[in-house]
């Protein structure tokens, strides 16, 4: 996860009333390109200052959690958000002007970085802020109480991951979804107000505004996502068939019918978005790779700092400059004993230049070793584009940042572990099926979910899904894309989309779908550039200066050019292509085909 306090992160929640100072001082008919340039220069200076203050206050809050630090962070965040809303509306004054590429792109960046566009009416803006905060609070305070005992979401998530009791899983699944029905009327009003704000900025609705961020017509982008999904669907269908059969063996085919969607509470995750927690139920026989990275780290005396140094060496082996000394003195690597901190792993650039940091409560495990590689991927991306104007200091599109981190993590292979001295012998390819299955349960299982969250939301914003159909439409999409069904009857008295944070939290979700596609495409391209002769799932680009040079050239572009050009600079094509995923998981596809021979697949 990358945290950058530039144009985007301050605007997730619209707060307070607008103060559009100077907005009406010049008639739109007399505006010139020089006016646009002057506006952009002044706006960048204001945002740079606010960005730095917001980043520092957020860092302090994340590392020293108190009521005071929370209040200070919230104050600066609100100030930043109000400024962004004001600047976005002011930028809209130049919509009809013919401008140079850079000036037009910067103005569009200003407008499109508003997630919830507020209406100009101050009372409506305040109402939108109130609704957004209430929805966020409802989710954050949510718990499930039964017989005098209450469970937090974290406790319920753990039960979903570890329990293999059908009825217990069902109880927890439905218990968490009691948090969201009361969100429904608030969400309906929020949609209406955000649409009004989007229309004032010149967009058909808020969903169309979100899709307009992707350097192509909004409706074409939606079709492009479905095209890419069509490439991955055969692999997903095979995985679905195998997992359903194994769940039928575990719970009985009366509970998991073999010709119907899978009940959504049996996949090890509260939202059935990733299935890795049920690996023990579906794992191939003899799939143990013969080594354990956690144990290897312990045997070779890797502490938390050595793990981060090891990940940094991955990048320097590709020709990247080492991280600055301040990275090592200012980052948080371990959980302090004397205070509360946010332990969720994140990568930061506080000053939009070289103040790079990560924040992690590192556990000495193999999984965390991969996560560190992922987080440093964000840091090296942040540094690569730090000479660009502030407007362009972000990834080519919002899927690229997560994709780059994951691309690097894909190179943490057995071959890489042998190269750095952690592993003595690379297991033979017969051991790959278990590793690929475990990865597919998380990455392939996620892809349709990553697509459908915004499919539902875009249709809500456009009016195609009415408030009377919110829940039915949600489950229709989950069945269509994931082949899942609710384990008990749901109605329009429920609001199951609200049980997923990103809906009440108003966080766009398509970026995660894109990241899951792009990471494999980048990995395959970089392996080819590196001259690797190994199967794509065994390739690591460690030590390849050629791959590093090509990767860095793309990272340095930030978002200054359309993402299609950034993609082409590494892959040679301006069109996303999911066949790299099929190549990566080809051995698993062969295994699944064999397992599914006498099964009825589909739903």
């Amino acid at each position: 996860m990358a945290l950058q306090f530039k144009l985007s992160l301050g605007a997730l929640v619209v707060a307070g009333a607008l103060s559009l100072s100077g907005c009406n001082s010049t008639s739109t008919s007399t505006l010139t390109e020089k006016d646009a340039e002057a506006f952009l220069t002044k706006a960048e200076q204001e945002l740079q200052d606010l960005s730095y203050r917001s980043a520092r206050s957020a860092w302090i809050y994340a590392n020293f959690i108190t009521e005071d630090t929370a209040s200070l962070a919230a104050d600066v965040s609100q100030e930043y958000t109000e400024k962004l809303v004001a600047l976005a509306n002011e930028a809209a004054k130049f919509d009809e002007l013919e401008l140079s590429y850079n000036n037009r792109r910067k103005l569009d960046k200003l407008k499109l970085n508003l997630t919830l566009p507020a209406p100009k009416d101050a009372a409506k803006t305040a109402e939108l802020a109130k609704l957004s905060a209430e929805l966020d609070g409802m989710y954050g305070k949510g718990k499930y109480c039964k017989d005098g005992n209450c469970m937090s979401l974290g406790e319920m998530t753990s039960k979903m991951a570890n329990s293999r009791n059908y009825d217990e899983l069902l109880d927890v699944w439905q218990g968490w979804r009691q948090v969201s029905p009361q969100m429904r009327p608030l969400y309906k009003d929020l949609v209406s107000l955000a649409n009004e704000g989007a229309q004032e900025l010149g967009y058909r609705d808020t969903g169309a505004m979100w899709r307009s961020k992707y350097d192509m017509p909004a409706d074409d982008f939606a079709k492009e996502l479905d095209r890419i999904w069509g490439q991955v669907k055969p692999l997903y269908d095979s995985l679905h068939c195998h997992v359903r059969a194994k769940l039928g063996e575990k719970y009985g085919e009366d509970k998991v019918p073999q010709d119907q969607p899978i009940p959504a509470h049996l996949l090890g995750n509260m939202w059935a978005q990733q299935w890795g927690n049920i690996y023990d139920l579906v794992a191939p026989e003899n799939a143990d790779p013969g080594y354990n990275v956690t144990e290897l780290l312990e045997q070779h005396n890797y502490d938390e700092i050595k793990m981060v140094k090891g990940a940094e060496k991955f990048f320097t082996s590709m020709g990247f400059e080492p991280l600055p000394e301040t990275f090592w003195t200012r980052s948080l690597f371990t959980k302090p004993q004397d205070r509360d901190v946010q332990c969720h792993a994140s990568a930061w650039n506080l000053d939009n230049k070289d103040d790079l940091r990560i924040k992690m409560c590192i556990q000495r495990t193999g999984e965390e070793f991969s996560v560190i590689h992922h987080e440093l991927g964000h840091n090296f991306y942040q540094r690569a584009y730090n000479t660009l104007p502030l407007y362009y200091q972000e990834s080519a599109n919002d899927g690229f940042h997560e994709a780059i981190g994951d691309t690097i993590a894909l190179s943490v292979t057995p071959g890489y572990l042998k190269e750095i001295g952690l592993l003595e012998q690379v297991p033979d390819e017969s051991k790959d099926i278990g590793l690929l299955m475990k990865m597919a349960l998380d990455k392939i299982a996620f892809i349709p979910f990553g697509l459908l969250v915004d499919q539902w939301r875009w249709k809500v914003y456009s009016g195609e899904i009415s408030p009377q159909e919110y829940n039915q439409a949600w489950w229709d999409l989950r069945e269509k894309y994931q082949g899942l069904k609710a384990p008990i009857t749901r109605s329009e008295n429920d609001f199951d989309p609200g049980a997923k944070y990103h809906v009440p939290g108003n966080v766009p979700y398509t970026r995660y779908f894109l990241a899951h596609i792009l990471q494999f495409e980048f990995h395959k391209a970089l392996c080819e550039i590196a001259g690797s002769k190994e199967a794509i799932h065994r390739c690591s680009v460690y030590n390849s200066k050629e791959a590093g040079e090509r990767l860095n050239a793309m990272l340095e572009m930030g978002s200054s050019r359309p993402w299609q050009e950034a993609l082409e600079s590494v892959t040679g094509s301006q069109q996303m292509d999911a066949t790299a995923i099929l190549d990566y998981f080809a051995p698993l596809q062969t295994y699944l085909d064999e397992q599914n021979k006498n099964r009825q697949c589909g739903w």
Side-chain angles (χ1 to χ4, degrees), residues 284-350:
E285 287 183 26
N286 305 315
D288 182 357
Y291 69 91
N292 181 303
V293 179
T294 302
E295 292 173 4
L296 292 174
L297 291 168
E298 186 175 343
Q299 288 167 18
H300 290 82
N301 299 314
Y302 269 67
D303 62 11
E304 295 84 357
I305 299 298
K306 192 172 179 182
M307 288 169 73
V308 182
K309 290 277 188 185
E312 182 196 34
K313 190 180 175 189
F314 186 103
F315 291 90
T316 57
S317 83
M318 297 176 72
F320 289 87
E321 290 295 315
L323 291 162
E325 182 57 32
T326 52
F327 172 86
W328 302 102
T329 58
R330 297 174 182 174
S331 290
L332 179 79
F333 300 119
T334 57
K335 189 177 190 310
Q337 299 301 309
D338 61 342
R339 64 182 193 270
D340 291 326
V341 299
Q342 291 177 0
C343 277
H344 184 74
S346 54
W348 300 58
N349 183 357
L350 272 74

Side-chain angles (χ1 to χ4, degrees), residues 36-56:
E37 286 179 359
F39 165 71
L40 286 166
T41 299
K42 184 171 181 292
E44 185 172 12
Q45 290 169 347
E46 292 174 348
L47 289 171
Q48 177 67 48
D49 172 62
L50 274 170
S51 169
Y52 188 35
R53 287 199 286 126
S54 181
R56 284 190 298 171

Side-chain angles (χ1 to χ4, degrees), residues 70 117 119 153 234 244 265 311 325 347 400 469 492 505 527 570 593 599:
L153 177 57
R244 182 174 62 188
H265 67 307
E325 182 57 32
F400 272 59
E469 306 166 309
E492 293 305 324
C527 286
V570 167
D593 289 344
R599 294 168 177 163

Side-chain angles (χ1 to χ4, degrees), residues 410-568:
L410 289 176
S411 274
V412 183
T413 61
Y416 166 64
L417 297 174
K418 182 175 185 292
E419 185 93 12
I420 63 173
L422 275 177
L423 190 60
E424 286 187 16
Q425 193 64 41
V426 176
D428 68 67
E429 293 193 21
S430 67
K431 300 295 187 182
D432 292 352
I433 298 301
L435 295 172
L436 289 170
M437 175 69 81
K438 199 165 181 63
M439 185 178 287
L441 289 169
D442 282 334
K443 291 188 181 282
I444 303 306
F446 176 83
I447 288 173
F449 186 80
L451 182 62
L452 72 86
V453 173
D454 278 351
Q455 293 275 1
W456 177 85
R457 198 155 31 183
W458 294 342
K459 291 175 189 289
V460 167
Y461 278 123
S462 73
E464 186 178 336
I465 295 173
S466 73
Q468 293 75 39
E469 306 166 309
Y470 278 173
N471 220 49
Q472 181 62 47
W474 175 254
W475 285 106
D476 287 348
L477 286 167
R478 297 207 68 178
E479 180 171 335
K480 174 185 174 181
Y481 285 107
Q482 287 185 285
L484 304 184
K485 64 180 180 182
I488 51 176
T489 302
R490 311 304 282 166
S491 74
E492 293 305 324
N493 291 323
D494 301 304
F495 184 56
D496 293 331
K500 175 63 183 170
Y501 169 72
H502 297 69
V503 174
N506 299 296
V507 180
Y509 212 73
T510 299
R511 64 186 66 168
Y512 304 112
F513 171 83
L514 294 173
H516 277 68
I517 303 299
L518 288 167
Q519 63 186 267
F520 290 99
E521 196 169 354
F522 289 148
H523 178 67
K524 181 181 180 183
L526 292 173
C527 286
E528 290 171 355
I529 293 163
S532 172
K533 304 299 182 197
E534 293 198 87
I536 179 176
H537 68 278
R538 290 198 142 214
C539 160
S540 176
V541 296
Y542 180 71
N543 261 337
S544 173
K545 300 291 192 293
E546 296 81 7
E549 187 178 343
R550 187 78 73 86
L551 177 61
N552 191 55
M554 183 186 80
L555 303 185
E556 287 178 339
M557 294 169 70
S559 65
S560 63
R561 301 295 304 172
W563 65 262
Q564 293 90 339
E565 293 181 24
L567 179 69
E568 184 181 26

Side-chain angles (χ1 to χ4, degrees), residues 102-379:
N102 269 316
N103 286 335
R104 173 53 59 204
R105 190 165 182 81
K106 289 174 183 177
L107 288 165
D108 286 343
K109 291 281 179 194
L110 257 183
K111 291 196 301 175
L112 289 169
N113 272 289
L114 280 175
T115 302
L116 283 184
K120 290 178 183 174
D121 181 284
K124 290 180 177 179
T125 296
E127 177 62 18
L128 181 60
K130 180 168 169 285
L131 290 169
S132 182
E134 282 185 37
L135 285 164
D136 203 53
M138 284 179 178
Y139 190 96
K141 294 171 187 170
K143 53 184 167 225
Y144 172 40
C145 297
K146 182 181 178 183
D147 301 328
N149 295 314
C150 293
M151 280 190 287
S152 68
L153 177 57
E155 291 167 323
M156 286 183 272
T157 298
S158 179
K159 273 198 187 300
M160 294 294 289
N162 297 304
S163 174
R164 299 292 180 259
N165 180 300
Y166 186 96
D167 292 330
E168 183 179 37
L169 290 167
L170 180 60
D171 179 61
V172 172
W173 186 92
Q174 64 84 28
W176 172 243
R177 280 155 183 79
Q178 292 176 15
V179 75
S180 50
Q182 58 267 38
M183 296 178 184
R184 191 186 184 109
L186 280 68
Y187 194 76
K188 172 178 171 287
D189 292 344
L190 177 137
V191 166
S192 177
L193 287 169
N195 273 345
E196 187 176 332
Q199 287 156 8
E200 288 175 2
L201 288 172
Y203 300 97
R204 189 169 68 237
D205 57 66
T206 305
M209 178 177 166
W210 287 9
R211 295 194 302 280
S212 296
K213 298 180 180 187
Y214 293 100
D215 297 311
M216 60 196 300
D219 293 342
D220 289 356
F221 179 67
K223 291 173 189 167
E224 178 70 353
L225 299 184
D226 265 328
R227 178 190 69 78
I228 297 164
W229 163 237
Q231 292 181 294
V232 184
K233 190 175 186 298
L235 174 58
Y236 178 82
D237 288 349
S238 297
L239 183 68
H240 179 282
C241 188
H242 177 68
V243 167
R244 182 174 62 188
K246 290 295 184 180
L247 290 173
E249 291 174 16
K250 171 67 179 174
Y251 296 106
E253 293 188 8
D254 57 323
K255 289 187 170 69
V256 189
Q258 295 300 292
D259 57 351
Q260 292 179 30
I262 299 172
H265 67 307
L266 299 178
L267 291 154
N269 176 274
M270 182 61 81
W271 307 276
Q273 66 185 55
Q274 291 171 302
W275 307 347
N277 289 322
I278 61 160
Y279 175 73
D280 61 301
L281 298 181
V282 306
E285 287 183 26
N286 305 315
D288 182 357
Y291 69 91
N292 181 303
V293 179
T294 302
E295 292 173 4
L296 292 174
L297 291 168
E298 186 175 343
Q299 288 167 18
H300 290 82
N301 299 314
Y302 269 67
D303 62 11
E304 295 84 357
I305 299 298
K306 192 172 179 182
M307 288 169 73
V308 182
K309 290 277 188 185
E312 182 196 34
K313 190 180 175 189
F314 186 103
F315 291 90
T316 57
S317 83
M318 297 176 72
F320 289 87
E321 290 295 315
L323 291 162
E325 182 57 32
T326 52
F327 172 86
W328 302 102
T329 58
R330 297 174 182 174
S331 290
L332 179 79
F333 300 119
T334 57
K335 189 177 190 310
Q337 299 301 309
D338 61 342
R339 64 182 193 270
D340 291 326
V341 299
Q342 291 177 0
C343 277
H344 184 74
S346 54
W348 300 58
N349 183 357
L350 272 74
D351 65 355
N352 305 322
K353 291 300 177 190
D354 293 309
D355 193 354
L356 303 167
R357 311 179 191 183
I358 62 170
K359 176 186 61 60
M360 283 182 71
C361 303
I362 297 173
Q363 307 292 311
R364 283 185 265 180
T365 67
E367 183 180 354
E368 293 272 282
F369 193 46
S370 284
V371 170
I372 294 167
H373 285 72
H374 173 99
E375 295 304 334
L376 293 196
H378 289 306
N379 283 143

